[in-house]
Amino acid sequence: MTENQTWVTEFILLGFPLSPSMQILLFGHFCLFYVLTLLGNGVILGLISLDSRLHTPMYFFLSHLAIVDISYASNNVPKMLVNLLNKKNTISFVPCITQTFLYMAFAHTECLILVVMSLDRYVAICHPLHYSVVMSWRACTVQAVTSWTCGSLLALVHVGLVLRLPFCGPHEINHFFCEILSVLKLACADTTLNQVVIFAASMFVLVGPLCLVLGSYARILAAILRIQSAEGRRKAFSTCSSHLCVVGLFFGTAIVMYMTPKSRHPEEQQKILSLFYSLFNPMLNPLIYSLRNKEVKGAFRRVLWKERLM
C-alpha cells in the first residue's frame, strides 16, 4: 500500500460515549470479566494438561477452544479497558489492521474448532466402535491444524482486501476496537467487494458449519434416545447440551452481526453484540463446560487433592 493511498495514519476509537463515572464503572466490570476469562480458560488448560484422564480427543479440542478464547479476548479487551480510562483513544493504522486480522483469525478458528468438537461427539456416540480409528491423535492434530490454518488464511484475505483501500478521512471508528465493518466505513473507495467477501466467508464459517453442527447433534440426539442405560443417556446429553450452549451463543451472535441487514442494528447495538463474542462468550465457555461436566470437576478435585498431599 503506497503512501499516497493511505492518508490517515491513526484512528480514534469512539468506544462507549458515556459519562466519566459510567466509564469507570464499565472499566471495573469489564476488567473483572476479563480476569474471569483468563482464569477460567487457564484453569481448563491446566486441568487438561495435568490430569491424564482428560487426555482424550474431546478435551484436546477443548484446550484449543480455551486458547482461542484467551487470545480472542486479549486481542480486543485490553485496548478497550485502556480507552475507558483515557480521554483521547487513538490507535495507529498498523496496530489497528493487526487487531482486525487477529480478531478475524480467532473468530474463524473458533467456528471451525466448534465444528470438529461436534464431529468428535458424533463419532463417540453414534459410531463408538470406530471412535479410536476415526478420532486418532493424528486425525485430531490434522483437524486442529487445519482449523487454525483456514482461520488465519481467511483473515489474511479480509485484511488484504482492506489494505487495497485508501483511507483519507474521517478517522473516527465508532467502535471499541478495529472491527472490520466499522473500519470499512472509513474507506474512501467502493467497499462492495469487501462486503461480498465478508458475506461469502460468513456462509463458509458460520452457516455451513452451523448446519453441520445441528445435523450432527440431531443424529446424536436420536442415538441418545436409543441408549438403554439412563445414566448413559444422562451423561451423553449433559456433554452435548454443554456443546450446544456454546455453539448457540457464538454462532447466534455472529450471524446476527454479519448476516442480517445492518439497518436493523444501530451502531450502539452492534457494540453490545460485539461484547458478547469478544468478552462474554470467552468468559462463559469454561463455566459452561466445567459446571456441567463431571469429568472436569473430578479432575479439579484430583488436582487439589494432589496439591494438599504435596
Side-chain angles (χ1 to χ4, degrees):
M1 204 166 147
T2 59
E3 188 175 352
N4 61 355
Q5 283 180 309
T6 307
W7 298 345
V8 174
T9 59
E10 67 177 15
F11 298 110
I12 296 176
L13 295 169
L14 297 182
F16 302 96
L18 300 170
S19 64
S21 59
M22 282 299 297
Q23 288 188 333
I24 292 175
L25 182 63
L26 280 182
F27 173 84
H29 282 84
F30 292 162
C31 191
L32 175 62
F33 295 156
Y34 182 54
V35 170
L36 291 176
T37 298
L38 298 181
L39 184 62
N41 286 286
V43 167
I44 291 290
L45 284 173
L47 291 177
I48 293 173
S49 63
L50 293 174
D51 196 306
S52 59
R53 299 187 191 183
L54 300 185
H55 293 174
T56 63
M58 183 178 79
Y59 293 103
F60 171 75
F61 292 127
L62 181 57
S63 67
H64 280 270
L65 182 65
I67 293 171
V68 172
D69 284 337
I70 290 174
S71 305
Y72 201 19
S74 298
N75 182 51
N76 300 337
V77 177
K79 180 63 177 176
M80 177 184 68
L81 294 175
V82 171
N83 290 345
L84 284 172
L85 299 180
N86 290 341
K87 292 183 179 180
K88 188 178 181 182
N89 307 323
T90 60
I91 184 170
S92 300
F93 183 82
V94 173
C96 182
I97 295 301
T98 302
Q99 189 180 59
T100 301
F101 167 76
L102 293 175
Y103 144 73
M104 297 298 291
F106 294 137
H108 292 149
T109 301
E110 179 154 353
C111 290
L112 299 175
I113 290 291
L114 290 173
V115 172
V116 296
M117 289 178 71
S118 71
L119 173 64
D120 171 75
R121 290 300 85 204
Y122 168 74
V123 177
I125 294 174
C126 298
H127 303 283
L129 298 179
H130 300 93
Y131 183 76
S132 60
V133 176
V134 177
M135 300 304 296
S136 65
W137 281 113
R138 181 177 180 180
C140 292
T141 302
V142 169
Q143 291 175 47
V145 171
T146 301
S147 298
W148 283 95
T149 303
C150 289
S152 300
L153 289 177
L154 279 171
L156 196 60
V157 170
H158 289 303
V159 170
L161 291 174
V162 171
L163 289 176
R164 72 183 179 89
L165 300 172
F167 291 88
C168 50
H171 60 288
E172 292 182 340
I173 298 176
N174 191 12
H175 217 290
F176 59 86
F177 72 102
C178 291
E179 194 270 333
I180 189 167
L181 295 179
S182 299
V183 172
L184 288 176
K185 291 178 182 179
L186 307 185
C188 305
D190 184 23
T191 61
T192 302
L193 178 60
N194 299 75
Q195 301 287 348
V196 169
V197 172
I198 290 173
F199 185 83
S202 298
M203 292 292 293
F204 177 71
V205 298
L206 289 178
V207 177
L210 181 59
C211 291
L212 289 174
V213 170
L214 293 180
S216 296
Y217 281 109
R219 299 282 297 275
I220 288 171
L221 180 61
I224 289 175
L225 295 176
R226 292 195 298 267
I227 296 176
Q228 299 297 325
S229 167
E231 177 63 20
R233 286 197 302 268
R234 187 203 60 76
K235 183 178 179 181
F237 185 78
S238 176
T239 301
C240 293
S241 61
S242 298
H243 291 187
L244 281 174
C245 287
V246 174
V247 167
L249 285 170
F250 185 84
F251 281 89
T253 307
I255 288 174
V256 169
M257 274 291 296
Y258 291 101
M259 302 203 69
T260 56
K262 295 299 175 283
S263 58
R264 296 183 184 177
H265 307 294
E267 290 179 327
E268 298 306 316
Q269 187 177 344
Q270 290 185 35
K271 295 178 190 177
I272 295 174
L273 288 172
S274 295
L275 278 175
F276 270 92
Y277 60 79
S278 295
L279 182 59
F280 297 144
N281 282 0
M283 179 187 68
L284 292 175
N285 284 354
L287 295 177
I288 291 172
Y289 282 110
S290 61
L291 293 179
R292 296 180 59 85
N293 193 310
K294 278 191 173 182
E295 291 179 336
V296 173
K297 290 187 284 188
F300 187 69
R301 287 193 294 267
R302 287 191 294 272
V303 170
L304 288 180
W305 181 250
K306 287 181 181 178
E307 291 295 326
R308 288 179 182 177
L309 292 178
M310 294 174 64

